[in-house]
Amino acid sequence: MMNVFVYGSLLFPEIAEGLCGEKLKSEEATLNGYSRFALKEADYPAIIKKNNSTVKGKVLLNLDENAIYLLTFYEGDDYGMAPVKVETSSGIIDAIAFVWMAGNEFLEDFDWDEDQFESESLAFYRDEIVPATRIEYYRRN
């Protein structure tokens, strides 16, 4: 079982739970030493290492191997899994985070807007992206 720090589209239970196919436990969390950015021509964010920065998000708790594989497939090749320590109200816990690997030239110079994603993209992700991702994942595995 693993914990996963999330900071973008996976903050929304309808996406994370829709992908994993089950109700997930989560907790508010902060990741130190990283910064979140909007991506050029995308509606999802990225995080990269950055001293004296923090990212607010959630940690999805006790995910099984299949859930980790599904989330990795969803995140795609532009992200790599990195072991991190996150701060929660119950203390510091170990987790993994999907960290941007595709190059800083794709990063905007501002943070991703969670409210804009919710109003403009969430329904599409819930209704189209999540089911299509699950179908493609299970077709390949």
Side-chain angles (χ1 to χ4, degrees):
M1 302 297 249
M2 295 180 76
N3 303 314
V4 179
F5 176 76
V6 297
Y7 54 86
S9 63
L10 293 172
L11 290 169
F12 296 92
E14 50 267 71
I15 295 178
E17 293 176 355
L19 286 166
C20 296
E22 63 183 306
K23 180 88 172 132
L24 300 175
K25 292 181 183 174
S26 68
E27 197 173 343
E28 298 292 319
T30 301
L31 175 61
N32 293 312
Y34 286 82
S35 188
R36 183 176 71 182
F37 295 90
L39 286 167
K40 294 177 180 173
E41 300 181 27
D43 56 2
Y44 50 87
I47 60 170
I48 60 169
K49 280 191 169 211
K50 188 173 181 191
N51 291 336
N52 302 315
S53 293
T54 60
V55 178
K56 299 252 187 244
K58 290 181 182 176
V59 62
L60 305 178
L61 300 166
N62 300 316
L63 273 64
D64 64 22
E65 189 175 74
N66 190 58
I68 298 295
Y69 288 143
L70 266 161
L71 295 181
T72 302
F73 183 75
Y74 170 75
E75 292 291 347
D77 295 336
D78 291 336
Y79 294 85
M81 278 194 301
V84 296
K85 293 192 180 299
V86 296
E87 293 180 19
T88 70
S89 61
S90 56
I92 296 175
I93 62 172
D94 291 322
I96 59 165
F98 291 98
V99 177
W100 184 251
M101 308 294 283
N104 292 356
E105 66 272 19
F106 298 105
L107 303 177
E108 295 284 8
D109 60 358
F110 51 85
D111 193 5
W112 178 72
D113 188 327
E114 185 178 337
D115 294 332
Q116 182 178 356
F117 178 86
E118 185 174 20
S119 65
E120 296 178 7
S121 301
L122 180 58
F124 177 70
Y125 272 66
R126 181 193 62 229
D127 299 341
E128 303 291 334
I129 300 291
V130 168
T133 299
R134 285 181 57 85
I135 289 167
E136 184 62 17
Y137 172 80
Y138 286 110
R139 188 184 69 75
R140 292 183 183 192
N141 293 291

